[in-house]
Amino acid sequence: MQKRILTIQDYSVLGRCSLTVALPIISSLQIECVGLPTAVLSNHTAFPTFSFVDLTDHMLESVDKWDGYNNNFDMIYTGYLAKGQVDIVLSIIKKLKRENTIIFIDPAFGESGKLYKGFDKEHVDDMKRLVEVSDYLLPNLTEACYLTDTFYQPEDHELAYSVVDKLLALGAKNVVLTGVKRENNVGCLLVNKKNQYYYGTNDLKKKFHGTGDVFSSALAGSILSTDDITKAIKVAHEFTSLAMQKTIEDNVDGILYGPEFEKAIPFLVDQFK
Ligand code: PXL
């Protein structure tokens, strides 16, 4: 049977991120992607200004309208949430989670040691409650430090391991820490109670906004496409890296507009043929 993901995140019209990357990436893997918007923005918040329509009241109302219809999902994948939406997301999870539904959480609230515009400690504390129910948690080092009340220091090898342990203790079943550097490589570190796995490739030394969402969406789709989690991680990483390489080759503004992931979709599709 065709797999289905419910993803809960914003729709930022300009600037590739959130639903605008999750829908095409997941669909390209022949998985149905049901996108529940948390807010509609003119563009993501790294632009100097943006308009924001909050859809908090619409979220649970939409899900309740699906009673009696197909509301069975193999995965619930959450990304950028507006302030105050965690309780609603927890209610949605409680309502829709079946025995095999994977709960996949990208905290999506900060990077480079800082919170994104509009977020505060209260939002971080709310997000900790999503950590507790996560089967997969995908923080970058900034988010991992905020979630564990740890002082952020970039590129600290020991810190990466200690925050991951704290996140497992908070209840996450698998932590995939992104943006982990090792020598000339950058990649991600998967840790669960039994295993550790690192996969990285040559650091391209560029930061394109929305790259984290490209990786998360590719990993969400890959996890449902193979039983081999190390393969899923490798594919999601290589897809993201290829999208960045295409953006660099084309010499376009990926910093605001995001990586040209569309050009890497044929690669992604090939991996699960
Ligand atoms: O990529 C994360 C993200 C998603 N959605 C919105 C954002 C950001 C990061 O700034 O502003 C609206």
Side-chain angles (χ1 to χ4, degrees):
M1 210 173 14
Q2 191 184 20
K3 303 260 170 99
R4 307 178 89 206
I5 295 181
L6 170 64
T7 185
I8 309 177
Q9 41 187 326
D10 70 283
Y11 186 82
S12 283
V13 181
L14 194 68
R16 296 174 182 89
C17 69
S18 305
L19 284 182
T20 59
V21 310
L23 286 158
I25 291 173
I26 291 168
S27 299
S28 79
L29 290 172
Q30 300 188 31
I31 296 166
E32 182 186 354
C33 184
V34 176
L36 182 67
T38 58
V40 177
L41 290 84
S42 53
N43 42 265
H44 61 61
T45 65
F47 284 83
T49 63
F50 55 91
S51 70
F52 186 98
V53 177
D54 186 297
L55 295 177
T56 306
D57 293 340
H58 183 254
M59 292 164 64
L60 199 51
E61 196 183 314
S62 290
V63 172
D64 284 342
K65 288 274 181 268
W66 305 340
D67 286 351
Y69 296 94
N70 185 355
N71 62 2
N72 200 352
F73 296 102
D74 298 283
M75 177 183 281
I76 299 175
Y77 155 28
T78 73
Y80 183 100
L81 303 175
K83 272 195 66 175
Q85 293 182 335
V86 167
D87 279 330
I88 288 164
V89 170
L90 284 166
S91 308
I92 294 173
I93 291 174
K94 193 163 174 222
K95 181 174 173 121
L96 298 181
K97 184 176 161 51
R98 316 265 163 102
E99 203 186 331
N100 295 322
T101 309
I102 295 170
I103 307 299
F104 184 100
I105 309 287
D106 179 346
F109 60 66
E111 66 188 324
S112 307
K114 294 199 203 97
L115 298 174
Y116 295 140
K117 281 174 202 150
F119 291 143
D120 56 14
K121 187 173 178 310
E122 201 182 340
H123 184 70
V124 175
D125 286 342
D126 283 349
M127 196 56 74
K128 290 178 188 170
R129 288 184 288 127
L130 275 177
V131 172
E132 289 168 18
V133 300
S134 64
D135 293 305
Y136 286 89
L137 180 74
L138 273 87
N140 56 36
L141 188 60
T142 299
E143 291 157 344
C145 285
Y146 272 103
L147 288 168
T148 56
D149 302 299
T150 307
F151 182 70
Y152 170 80
Q153 281 164 297
E155 299 181 37
D156 182 334
H157 192 72
E158 295 303 313
L159 183 65
Y161 282 97
S162 72
V163 286
V164 165
D165 281 346
K166 290 184 197 169
L167 290 168
L168 293 174
L170 281 176
K173 295 194 188 55
N174 294 274
V175 177
V176 181
L177 185 67
T178 60
V180 180
K181 295 193 179 162
R182 278 197 185 170
E183 289 157 14
N184 294 326
N185 287 352
V186 65
C188 62
L189 177 67
L190 163 76
V191 184
N192 54 38
K193 288 217 166 92
K194 287 194 219 131
N195 296 310
Q196 277 184 17
Y197 172 72
Y198 176 81
Y199 187 75
T201 53
N202 190 26
D203 188 354
L204 300 171
K205 296 203 163 54
K206 291 268 180 192
K207 268 197 194 313
F208 298 145
H209 210 81
T211 304
D213 298 350
V214 169
F215 175 76
S216 295
S217 300
L219 185 61
S222 297
I223 285 174
L224 290 190
S225 304
T226 171
D227 290 333
D228 178 356
I229 179 64
T230 60
K231 174 171 179 185
I233 294 221
K234 186 166 179 279
V235 168
H237 175 88
E238 286 185 350
F239 169 69
T240 309
S241 175
L242 183 60
M244 292 178 72
Q245 286 167 48
K246 298 279 184 197
T247 318
I248 295 166
E249 271 163 35
D250 284 351
N251 200 18
V252 290
D253 178 6
I255 298 174
L256 271 183
Y257 295 95
E260 294 180 335
F261 71 86
E262 300 86 351
K263 294 193 167 179
I265 283 189
F267 164 85
L268 183 62
V269 170
D270 271 353
Q271 303 312 301
F272 297 109
K273 266 197 180 141

